[in-house]
Amino acid sequence: MNASYMSGMKMPQITDRAALSRNRARAEPEALFLQEHAADELQERLNEVNRTFKSVAIVTGFPRFWQDRFPDAKVITDTETLDLSQGAHDLVIHAMSLHWANDPVGQLVQCRHALTPDGLLLCIFLGGQTLHELRASLAEAEANVTGGLSPRIAPMGEIRDLGGLLQRAGFALPVADSTHLTASYVNAFHLMHDLRKMGENNALSDRIRHMTRRNVLTEAACIYADNFRNDDNRVDATFEFITLTGWSPDASQPQPLRPGSATARLADALGTQETPLDRSND
């Protein structure tokens, strides 16, 4: 069950799910290089885990792509209430969707409920450094031309905050890390066109519902080129991938020691002299 329903609170609808579905439906298979990069990243991590997973579920907005990459997995769409059975899987992958979720903790809670004890969650999605160049250029351009700002790029979490999502969702041994991918384009217009082709264009609930003024986009492209041009006379675009790793709690997992239960002194382990702290002047 969705965490927001369990708490009795209604989550703010940051993402327009109907618009998101339309954007994804228009995506072109040859443009899904972000999905390709995420799948390669997850496969590398799975190769490092000394375990064979027998029942895999994948939550994604691009089920056809991920079914091709993991043909033996159960692949479901990233709806608000996930089509997952409790305790049915030893591995759940949440793939490139959490940055669009209205209730990210609720998504992770549902994934944990779907895991067997000591089952693994791998969650990969776009983080806060993604498209920072485009975000800054559009904001400056719109402020210059219209004197205001409109929501254009989805708010994405920073790595320092996202690790706490796993703990809030009840996972054991939580780990969060990030990697960056830099793509280059002829100009900002080519980047924005590519975002539409990959289904990652604006689906915010508060987005403007009319065409953006051409002079805003032209100004943004100029600002982008002035500030983010690379040595090949193209412009760079950053994509940050956040990966969350957590395990469904189980008694077999390592447990932290109780405070004061240590049987050896740290000074002995380090081979140093322990100097008492003089607090006589406190």
Side-chain angles (χ1 to χ4, degrees):
M1 181 178 291
N2 190 292
S4 62
Y5 298 153
M6 290 189 293
S7 67
M9 297 174 60
K10 185 175 181 179
M11 299 298 297
Q13 300 300 295
I14 297 172
T15 298
D16 180 342
R17 298 290 305 183
L20 180 62
S21 296
R22 289 194 299 270
N23 293 348
R24 288 170 169 175
R26 299 186 188 113
E28 300 176 14
E30 65 274 13
L32 300 182
F33 73 92
L34 296 182
Q35 306 290 326
E36 291 278 2
H37 182 84
D40 291 342
E41 179 76 18
L42 292 182
Q43 190 61 65
E44 287 186 19
R45 291 169 186 262
L46 288 171
N47 291 340
E48 296 173 358
V49 177
N50 187 25
R51 182 178 299 191
T52 300
F53 296 99
K54 299 179 179 179
S55 180
V56 181
I58 301 177
V59 179
T60 177
F62 293 90
R64 181 175 298 179
F65 170 87
W66 287 89
Q67 192 73 76
D68 288 343
R69 291 296 300 259
F70 293 83
D72 296 328
K74 175 181 179 179
V75 179
I76 67 167
T77 56
D78 60 329
T79 51
E80 299 278 359
T81 301
L82 301 177
D83 184 22
L84 294 173
S85 300
Q86 185 163 349
H89 303 281
D90 53 5
L91 170 64
V92 173
I93 295 173
H94 202 293
M96 294 297 288
S97 298
L98 203 69
H99 55 282
W100 286 116
N102 286 313
D103 183 9
V105 175
Q107 291 282 300
L108 297 179
V109 168
Q110 291 178 82
C111 290
R112 179 174 60 79
H113 288 167
L115 285 168
T116 58
D118 202 33
L120 174 63
L121 168 77
L122 284 175
C123 178
I124 189 167
F125 56 101
L126 296 177
Q129 293 303 304
T130 297
L131 298 176
H132 69 86
E133 305 94 341
L134 181 60
R135 192 189 309 268
S137 300
L138 283 170
E140 183 176 345
E142 191 166 23
N144 290 346
V145 174
T146 71
L149 292 177
S150 302
R152 296 184 181 275
I153 299 176
M156 301 172 192
E158 301 292 339
I159 183 66
R160 63 179 178 270
D161 304 317
L162 291 168
L165 295 181
L166 288 170
Q167 292 177 309
R168 290 174 59 191
F171 282 95
L173 310 175
V175 176
D177 61 80
S178 72
T179 58
H180 292 79
L181 175 69
T182 301
S184 70
Y185 293 89
V186 173
N187 54 45
F189 288 107
H190 282 246
L191 167 58
M192 289 183 278
H193 181 63
D194 209 24
L195 291 173
R196 287 192 294 271
K197 289 171 62 178
M198 66 178 73
E200 293 289 344
N201 48 315
N202 194 348
L204 294 172
S205 294
D206 292 337
R207 70 191 185 282
I208 57 173
R209 304 304 174 104
H210 56 78
M211 293 291 291
T212 299
R213 290 167 55 175
R214 181 72 183 182
N215 54 349
V216 171
L217 297 179
T218 302
E219 176 79 358
C222 292
I223 293 170
Y224 204 125
D226 288 343
N227 290 281
F228 304 107
R229 193 187 304 275
N230 61 29
D231 294 339
D232 296 322
N233 203 31
R234 294 163 65 89
V235 296
D236 286 335
T238 299
F239 297 92
E240 181 184 24
F241 292 81
I242 304 291
T243 304
L244 304 180
T245 305
W247 296 84
S248 180
D250 184 71
S252 65
Q253 294 165 346
Q255 302 294 320
L257 294 174
R258 290 182 293 104
S261 62
T263 58
R265 295 166 62 246
L266 179 60
D268 293 339
L270 297 176
T272 64
Q273 288 281 348
E274 185 176 45
T275 303
L277 179 64
D278 184 1
R279 302 183 61 89
S280 57
N281 295 324
D282 288 0

